[in-house]
Amino acid sequence: MNQEDAVTYIAAPGGVLQGNIRVPGDKSISHRAIMLGALADGVTEVEGFLEGEDSLATLRAFQAMGVSIERPGPGRVIIHGVGLHGLRAPEQPIYLGNSGTSMRLLSGILAAQPFDTVLEGDASLMQRPMKRVTVPLGQMGARIDTARAGTPPLKIHGGRTLQGIQYEMPVASAQVKSALLLAGLYAGGETCVTEPAPTRDHTERMLESFAWPVQRRDGRICVQGGACLRATRLRVPADISSAAFFMVGAALVPGSEILLEEVGVNPTRTGVINILRLMGADIQLLHERLAGGEPVADIRVRGGELRGIRIPEADVPLAIDEFPAVFIAAACARGTTVLTGAEELRVKESDRIQVMADGLRALGIDARPTTDGMVIEGGAFRGGEVDSHGDHRIAMAFTTAALRASGEIRILDCANVATSFPGFDALARRAGIGLRVDPAHA
Ligand code: S3P
């Protein structure tokens, strides 16, 4: 990160959360809207698109491959689809910033193109494991080179003919599943992916919205190559992963009451609600409805006392991005919270087990990292300084910790909050967190 990008958050202790809040659009759905809209026949109109750096990286990647994309107003995107075979070779390597979703899903699409591409990212993305997609794509006939450690850059060779495979995923990963299904659109025959546990199914739902048939039974998802995507209109719900910080913040402060509007509550994403409810949080889903193939609801959260729990492993893939926030709830709960079966957290935007444990301990909490999770004794936060290691969700999680801290919390390296949650600091202040942003501190 450049010196001029350095951003420190300074969160004042105390406060309650109140009011109606609409967090920005869902990141996973925003990526997929651009990808399928670009590959569709016709014009796709999107509302509620996340204007965060990650989904914008996907948008710019398709612009670099000749897709015309208009942005007529906040959250509005108009994509002039070029059809499955209409992409053009980009003039240079495609830079995807911090976005693992962009890189893994794009590799599935690009493996089937007639031209070569190179995918790169920032320092964090350049260390993330890519073999999980390049190996099964290779079995389909793709040729993708990685660095020796199986990390980016990805050099994707064009002009390959892909054949459908039957793939049993060793890790529960929606990104791997999606990369293979997207490659499967171009492959001969049928491509089937079996998941060891349910993961977010936005790709499957959105393929259906674009009129591409998807077979799903008992954890096995299949697509047949050779059809076409029909352009559509999409409304992206608010991102439950962004809402999670306010859910936790409200849940852990007695007297708080917030209403999070139009949040995506797809059952493959609601692990955080299940976990917080098990901890005793008062969370209600209101006006549940279906919008553009995705379940949405308004979520009301009232503050109270939380208790420590053993987190059910079945909820881990359903809450995979929410553990930084869940760890803050556990630190404020009465008793011990135990997380197991979550080794995937070690290969996210940062090693979220180590980085969160370090931050919790710096603030006076007894947190013991394990290979696949963490043991947290509920206690009291004191003020102090933590390093987010450029991980957006860690920066936002420690911001909410200030609500229950006895002193100011300073959080380093917060510029990447813009990857998923542009405007977080203003919304946090409006809701009741005393947050200042200091761009002058490294
Ligand atoms: C995502 C899937 C998840 C999640 C990531 C977004 C997606 O990753 O952590 O933030 O949009 O498919 P994995 O599928 O690798 O667990």
Side-chain angles (χ1 to χ4, degrees):
M1 194 179 63
N2 300 326
Q3 185 64 28
E4 60 266 27
D5 291 339
V7 172
T8 297
Y9 279 0
I10 302 159
V16 291
L17 290 192
Q18 252 147 15
N20 289 18
I21 300 169
R22 194 189 195 285
V23 301
D26 188 276
K27 183 153 79 75
S28 292
I29 298 176
S30 295
H31 283 296
R32 288 155 172 83
I34 297 293
M35 293 180 189
L36 297 191
L39 300 176
D41 293 321
V43 177
T44 291
E45 294 195 26
V46 186
E47 278 182 325
F49 177 76
L50 170 65
E51 284 158 332
E53 286 307 316
D54 278 13
S55 36
L56 289 173
T58 293
L59 184 149
R60 291 186 196 112
F62 281 92
Q63 286 178 325
M65 292 188 284
V67 182
S68 155
I69 304 178
E70 298 168 64
R71 295 173 60 193
R76 291 196 56 218
V77 176
I78 300 174
I79 310 156
H80 297 264
V82 295
L84 270 192
H85 300 283
L87 295 178
R88 288 206 311 263
E91 277 166 20
Q92 25 191 350
I94 296 178
Y95 179 74
L96 298 169
N98 196 240
S99 180
T101 308
S102 305
M103 189 169 287
R104 297 211 178 101
L105 271 58
L106 269 175
S107 61
I109 294 170
L110 297 176
Q113 302 304 318
F115 50 82
D116 295 353
T117 34
V118 176
L119 302 183
E120 307 172 331
D122 70 6
S124 154
L125 182 53
M126 294 303 271
Q127 286 176 28
R128 295 186 65 188
M130 292 295 148
K131 289 266 188 224
R132 53 180 62 198
V133 288
T134 60
V135 168
L137 287 170
Q139 290 168 15
M140 295 178 76
R143 203 176 136 212
I144 305 178
D145 306 329
T146 63
R148 198 195 295 268
T151 49
L154 299 185
K155 164 123 209 252
I156 305 176
H157 298 261
R160 314 282 299 178
T161 304
L162 302 188
Q163 196 55 44
I165 54 166
Q166 311 281 316
Y167 188 66
E168 298 223 358
M169 278 196 299
V171 283
S173 165
Q175 294 181 347
V176 174
K177 170 178 67 175
S178 301
L180 300 184
L181 295 177
L182 292 170
L185 306 185
Y186 292 87
E190 195 179 45
T191 300
C192 294
V193 184
T194 307
E195 27 184 25
T199 67
R200 63 190 69 192
D201 65 355
H202 305 302
T203 302
E204 297 90 304
R205 286 173 187 259
M206 202 180 286
L207 281 169
E208 284 167 346
S209 298
F210 280 83
W212 195 295
V214 180
Q215 259 82 53
R216 306 208 240 172
R217 193 145 32 92
D218 303 329
R220 189 160 176 270
I221 304 108
C222 302
V223 293
Q224 189 87 35
C228 59
L229 295 162
R230 198 165 340 116
T232 186
R233 269 174 182 276
L234 297 167
R235 183 168 172 83
V236 181
D239 196 329
I240 189 167
S241 298
S242 298
F245 302 106
F246 293 99
M247 289 169 61
V248 166
L252 52 76
V253 182
S256 289
E257 176 167 343
I258 55 162
L259 186 78
L260 291 151
E261 294 170 349
E262 208 192 342
V263 181
V265 288
N266 179 319
T268 60
R269 295 285 299 280
T270 46
V272 63
I273 296 178
N274 307 341
I275 293 168
L276 290 175
R277 279 180 172 159
L278 280 178
M279 297 178 86
D282 177 353
I283 303 177
Q284 282 176 291
L285 266 51
L286 310 173
H287 310 122
E288 290 187 63
R289 58 221 187 252
L290 210 62
E294 289 280 351
V296 297
D298 302 328
I299 302 179
R300 184 160 64 207
V301 187
R302 294 194 177 105
E305 290 300 322
L306 301 179
R307 56 178 172 271
I309 58 163
R310 178 171 280 278
I311 296 174
E313 288 199 3
D315 278 320
V316 169
L318 313 180
I320 194 67
D321 291 337
E322 284 65 76
F323 284 104
V326 167
F327 293 154
I328 299 299
C332 297
R334 197 162 11 88
T336 311
T337 295
V338 180
L339 172 68
T340 55
E343 49 277 278
E344 275 296 296
L345 294 181
R346 292 204 177 268
V347 290
K348 293 294 178 189
E349 286 84 328
S350 70
D351 175 345
R352 286 184 175 161
I353 292 177
Q354 193 60 49
V355 175
M356 281 302 300
D358 290 346
L360 290 169
R361 292 161 88 128
L363 300 177
I365 300 294
D366 177 359
R368 296 188 298 279
T370 62
T371 44
D372 67 340
M374 187 139 37
V375 180
I376 299 173
E377 304 295 339
F381 283 119
R382 58 169 182 250
E385 186 169 280
V386 298
D387 189 340
S388 80
H389 287 264
D391 185 325
H392 55 138
R393 300 204 197 281
I394 289 181
M396 291 185 275
F398 280 115
T399 304
T400 64
L403 288 162
R404 286 276 297 259
S406 58
E408 183 177 277
I409 299 182
R410 300 171 62 81
I411 310 155
L412 307 181
D413 203 358
C414 295
N416 279 338
V417 167
T419 61
S420 68
F421 202 148
F424 169 73
D425 61 301
L427 207 52
R429 276 192 294 276
R430 217 187 75 203
I433 300 179
L435 176 62
R436 281 187 294 128
V437 178
D438 185 350
H441 284 78

